[in-house]
Amino acid sequence: MARDAASNAALSAVLNTLDLSLQFGTFPDLARHRAALPRRDVLQWICHALASDAELTVRIVGEAEAQALNRDYRGKDYATNVLTFDYTREPVVTADLVLCGPVVAREAAEQGKTLEAHYAHLLVHATLHAQGYDHETSERDALEMEALEILLLASLGFGNPY
């Protein structure tokens, strides 16, 4: 038991500090999404992808809210799976990560993944975006970001999301 406590303390000293606000909007099947996103797991997934301290809000929303945000901020009039609003990168990463629960659930089913695995992938993906990674700038950047996501998710016990 003492060895486990010492190991946990050593691990905590290596991890970055994350100030996390986890929020849920209102949408059908909300209880399933809450169950797939225990706070301790969300913290672990995000911290694993962080290279510095961060203050993040993760908000799980319904399709109407996701569509409104995507339309208002990206000019795309549909509900997307994840949006990252990054505000600062230094000295602390600050961002809002907005995930559309119904879209995430639909995609998970289509891809034969658990809801948990898809949320883990999208949270790692969004956390990388918040730190400046971008898969839309070039094919090289996309390949770099995907490779990092695959490595991070594998180290968390999840399969290749692609």
Side-chain angles (χ1 to χ4, degrees), residues 12-63:
S12 299
V14 174
L15 296 177
N16 294 302
T17 303
L18 172 60
D19 181 4
L20 175 67
S21 174
L22 180 58
Q23 304 173 357
F24 291 87
T26 302
F27 56 91
D29 207 15
L30 176 61
R32 180 173 166 230
H33 294 266
R34 282 185 181 273
L37 291 164
R39 184 178 178 80
R40 70 181 178 282
D41 291 351
V42 173
L43 282 164
Q44 179 186 22
W45 301 336
I46 291 173
C47 282
H48 210 67
L50 281 174
S52 65
D53 293 343
E55 296 173 4
L56 302 177
T57 296
V58 172
R59 183 163 170 78
I60 313 302
V61 302
E63 290 185 83

Side-chain angles (χ1 to χ4, degrees), residues 1-15:
M1 182 91 140
R3 183 173 176 214
D4 290 343
S7 296
N8 289 341
L11 181 59
S12 299
V14 174
L15 296 177

